Amino acid sequence: MLAVQDTSDSSLSHFFSGERRKAARAVLVDTEPKAERCDYLEGMVMLHSASGGTGSGLGSYLTELLADAYPSAALLNCVVCPYSAGEVSVQNFNLLLTLSRLAEHSSAVLAIENDQAGNICRQVLKLERPTFRDLNDVIATHITAAVVPSTLAASNAGAVPQMPRASAAFTSDTWPAITKRLHQMHVCGAAHDLCLDWRVTPQPSENFNFNSTSNFNKSVSSLVTLHGHDAAPGPAAAPVAMPGASESTAAGFTADMFGNADLYAAWCQAPAMVCTSALPLNGFERSASLLSNSQSVLRVFDAATPRAQQMFAARAFVHQYQQHGLETADFEAALMWAEQTRLNYRGLSHG
Amino acid sequence: MPRELITIQVGQCGNQIGRCFWQQALAEHASAAAALGGRATSATYDDCMSSFFRNVDPRSGRDLGVGTPLAALKARAVLVDMEDGVVNETLNGPLGELFDQRQLVTDVYGAGNNWAHGYAAYGPQYGDALLEAVRAAAEKCESLQSFFLMHSMGGGTGSGLGTYLLSLLEDSFPEVLRMVTAVFPSQDDDVVTSPYNAVLALRHLTDHADCAMPVDNQSLLSIAAATATAAAASSIADRGRRSSTGALSSSASSGPGFDGMNSIVASLMADVTASARFPGSLNVDLNEIATNLVPFPRMHYLVSALSPLRVPPPPQQMARRASLPAPERGPRGTMPRLIADALSPTRQLMRCDPARSRFLACSLLLRGDVTVSEANVGVEKLRGSLDMVHWNREGFKVGLCNVPPPGLQRSLLCLSNNCCVAQSFEDLRQQFCKLYTRRAMVHHYTQFVDQSVFDEALESVTALIADYEELNTAPAPAHKQWAEPAF
């Protein structure tokens, strides 16, 4: 696993500026020997933001280069989405331009919401004034839970954004207690297990009423990982297949619980995967994490898309992108893509 | 790594502000170094200093790198005046060592309050010399980020040569940001031709600057007066427990002079660049200010407000003041208070009232002991109360810099791209028209330029006002019901 980290300062999106191209190529040159030292390069993880200039602009460009240079390696982009309340005036432009590029070139996108990370800090960790350090800790925990080694092949989700549900970290609870809450988080699309709405229940697709105000979160597929010394039936972590596995193991009933077909879009075949790992994570005796490609990513799109559309309609700030070679067609393409993606995710609910 | 800024001060006003600015910059870096503790850092040329200063070996004249002991600090500045009085005063004053001959472009005659003289006569005459001086300064930078031009709009040299220089910079350094602090004449300006000069210069400011922070003398004067009153009040309050009130009361008794006004502008510039110079948890460099606050290239006028009031100590007290402990946090220092002050019309450096007009974007640059969440809470409150343009309702840019201005625990600079600035331009336009309908004084200008520049400038300012007015009054499109998240 190779991590490409982007830590330089941020400024405006310089997708095509020559200087940035040079920087990106330098990273590529830097990556080569590291990749060559790997016996089998399974994938690369990129950490970057989607609101600033360097993270979003250079990050997307670099993704294209890496995808090109290592076509067989899975490329996971962990993208930090800005506070919906606003950090940067042009954040919605940057976000949608970035995501639309990543959708084309990345294997999977882990959309990390600053809003949710902040909620976790305040509501779960009870931090009154969370600092960047706290937010970064929360985010790092989530990413770790998502990419921590398991024996399953890389979950190559194709070119659709993926959403970290939450790495639910519980104390000395029993497996059923942990997975039950994680399951409800999955159902609600919640990022943490406090204030869960237990009234929300999975809805079968055909009965879904367009006008219903259900908060049910439909998924495409999910990966549940159980971390803990007694999680694995054998000494090695092993993928456990779909329902039917023995009820007695933790992985078994987890697979049953998450195997409920109502959780997923009607066309999904075998959408749930359960992995186990004997190594406890983050110092908890037992913990479970969930990675799910689901409608909860709409939170990001619903916040950003209309705002970006309005700003683009006023042609505000567009000149700054044009200075660097972007054209209005690029904006139109990104906005169209965002609108289409919203529709696609909405459509999961309907048969 | 901090990126360098080159300050260019043009004309009498620009140079007077510049002098205050350099005093303040030195004091800031001295107190920042002192705050790091009594280590050797106070005598080391560090990253933060490198954005404004060079460290020069006095014997070889070569630049020394970051981390070397302080030898001789030189300002990254170009001083331009066509009447060398103020520049000479600076050179012979305590700041003289900061500058050397290559950084100066001077003449002795002056532009006689005539924009055209500065722009069309001195411009071409000194163009090469100016570029040479700027180039010399730019060559000593590793990664030049921005030019910081300070000049007045009402006079001849500052407005004429200043705007000429602006287009020179645009041609020769197209990649480098051009920030401008422009001092606008007040209503009762003593220069008869100041409306002409300001409107003629404004056109070039609109076309060639990336960001302009307009300030006007009247506002500066009233803020300086308020500062002096506050200083007097605090010195009376402090007299019981602190002995070093002499500095404060003396500045209060002398009343608000040019120095008081200039130091406000100097504070503005220090705060704008603070994030580029000092570390912070949410750095906002000048590029980001331009990105976030300028939705349309011509509409780059940022109204600024400082809170709390900065009580300017006289220069000889600077060093002592820097070592004073920061005052305890009073009610004035709380976030809501800071923000409320920064939006009050009495604190705007340009005579206008942003809270009553529409914002295109707004930036809160905080310095000192402020956390992200405090800032976010402050922004959250603002969001409900301000009229933000519908396509940029979230257009708040927050900056957090760890190092407060000397003598304060926390401070706020509010920069707003607000439609209210159009009113000031409209006042200026009317004064211009009052003269121009009679073609009064125009013959002074036609010696140097064609009369058509008057019409073009008038057209430009009228269009600018119309642009702002249109955005100010345009209703948001009928609220379209966006589908609520369905999951």
Side-chain angles (χ1 to χ4, degrees), chain B residues 206-361:
Chain B
T206 305
D207 289 345
H208 302 297
D210 285 313
C211 251
M213 292 175 291
V215 298
D216 75 47
N217 275 327
Q218 231 163 347
S219 312
L220 292 179
L221 192 66
S222 63
I223 296 173
T227 309
T229 319
S234 82
S235 72
I236 290 164
D238 282 359
R239 197 154 286 158
R241 53 193 173 90
R242 203 191 291 165
S243 54
S244 65
T245 46
L248 298 174
S249 47
S250 78
S251 78
S253 60
S254 65
F258 271 120
D259 264 358
M261 292 160 66
N262 289 336
S263 80
I264 296 167
V265 185
S267 296
L268 163 67
M269 297 183 46
D271 278 14
V272 169
T273 55
S275 221
R277 292 179 289 146
F278 297 113
S281 50
L282 206 55
N283 263 323
V284 176
D285 70 11
L286 294 171
N287 258 322
E288 284 176 81
I289 292 177
T291 304
N292 281 284
L293 294 179
V294 183
F296 305 102
R298 282 164 55 88
M299 302 169 86
H300 55 235
Y301 293 93
L302 310 180
V303 178
S304 47
L306 296 160
S307 75
L309 292 174
R310 313 291 162 82
V311 180
Q316 65 271 24
Q317 295 291 330
M318 277 288 178
R320 187 139 59 96
R321 176 136 180 113
S323 60
L324 283 179
E328 292 124 46
R329 185 185 306 175
R332 199 175 281 283
T334 62
M335 267 304 283
R337 183 62 193 262
L338 278 183
I339 293 180
D341 277 357
L343 287 171
S344 138
T346 58
R347 291 296 177 82
Q348 307 303 318
L349 270 54
M350 184 79 177
R351 195 173 50 85
C352 56
D353 188 358
R356 286 168 182 274
S357 281
R358 184 165 291 167
F359 281 81
L360 305 184

Side-chain angles (χ1 to χ4, degrees), chain A:
Chain A
M1 200 74 87
L2 200 66
V4 180
Q5 217 163 345
D6 186 4
T7 51
S8 33
D9 67 323
S10 82
S11 61
L12 174 69
S13 206
H14 294 246
F15 276 107
F16 296 107
S17 106
E19 204 178 319
R20 302 289 156 144
R21 262 175 205 247
K22 259 184 262 160
R25 298 227 183 267
V27 174
L28 207 61
V29 170
D30 211 36
T31 314
E32 213 174 282
K34 290 187 190 118
E36 274 170 10
R37 275 202 296 276
C38 299
D39 285 336
Y40 169 62
L41 180 64
E42 185 178 294
M44 288 182 260
V45 180
M46 260 182 75
L47 314 172
H48 57 104
S49 88
S51 54
T54 313
S56 68
L58 188 57
S60 327
Y61 184 66
L62 203 48
T63 305
E64 291 174 28
L65 289 185
L66 289 173
D68 221 34
Y70 303 95
S72 59
L75 190 55
L76 173 68
N77 287 68
C78 302
V79 179
V80 179
C81 302
Y83 281 108
S84 57
E87 294 167 21
V88 179
S89 294
V90 290
Q91 64 181 25
N92 298 316
F93 280 165
N94 288 343
L95 177 68
L96 296 184
L97 287 166
T98 304
L99 289 181
S100 67
R101 297 277 164 142
L102 294 185
E104 216 173 299
H105 300 280
S106 174
S107 313
V109 177
L110 208 72
I112 297 157
E113 295 166 89
N114 259 348
D115 283 325
Q116 300 298 340
N119 284 346
I120 291 175
C121 282
R122 275 186 295 273
Q123 296 169 7
V124 182
L125 305 176
K126 307 285 182 212
L127 297 169
E128 239 173 72
R129 304 187 339 175
T131 60
F132 276 110
R133 176 83 215 239
D134 300 325
L135 288 171
N136 288 340
D137 275 349
V138 167
I139 292 171
T141 312
H142 277 69
I143 296 175
T144 319
V147 301
V148 83
S150 66
T151 48
L152 204 70
S155 74
N156 202 326
V160 277
Q162 233 189 18
M163 184 67 202
R165 183 56 38 262
S167 61
F170 303 104
T171 46
S172 59
D173 287 330
T174 57
W175 283 117
I178 294 173
T179 49
K180 205 173 167 202
R181 273 183 277 176
L182 193 63
H183 179 259
Q184 194 60 27
M185 285 163 68
H186 187 280
V187 169
C188 300
H192 60 80
D193 67 323
L194 291 180
C195 328
L196 278 175
D197 186 353
W198 290 89
R199 286 166 302 179
V200 182
T201 51
Q203 309 273 339
S205 301
E206 42 281 10
N207 295 352
F208 194 84
N209 175 1
F210 185 76
N211 295 321
S212 94
T213 53
S214 164
N215 291 320
F216 170 55
N217 173 40
K218 205 70 156 170
S219 302
V220 175
S221 61
S222 302
L223 167 70
V224 184
T225 315
L226 307 178
H227 311 270
H229 61 91
D230 58 348
V240 175
M242 283 287 300
S246 100
E247 277 282 328
S248 60
T249 63
F253 64 71
T254 311
D256 277 350
M257 191 183 273
F258 286 89
N260 179 358
D262 286 349
L263 286 171
Y264 308 95
W267 44 266
C268 292
Q269 296 292 316
M273 276 187 295
V274 179
C275 269
T276 56
S277 157
L279 291 174
L281 194 65
N282 301 323
F284 291 106
E285 198 181 345
R286 297 185 186 90
S287 65
S289 57
L290 169 66
L291 197 63
S292 155
N293 183 356
S294 75
Q295 287 180 327
S296 57
V297 77
L298 282 169
R299 273 199 295 258
V300 173
F301 281 94
D302 286 343
T305 316
R307 292 174 187 172
Q309 281 168 341
Q310 288 192 7
M311 195 177 269
F312 182 67
R315 290 294 183 278
F317 297 103
V318 172
H319 73 277
Q320 302 185 357
Y321 292 78
Q322 287 171 332
Q323 279 172 8
H324 295 288
L326 241 67
E327 288 168 18
T328 47
D330 295 302
F331 283 90
E332 282 157 7
L335 290 170
M336 291 256 286
W337 170 84
E339 199 53 38
Q340 186 60 49
T341 308
R342 279 173 95 193
L343 280 175
N344 291 350
Y345 272 97
R346 285 267 143 69
L348 293 181
S349 309
H350 319 298

Side-chain angles (χ1 to χ4, degrees), chain B residues 57-71:
Chain B
D57 183 5
R59 266 172 298 174
S60 65
R62 274 182 311 166
D63 277 26
L64 300 168
V66 167
T68 52
L70 282 190

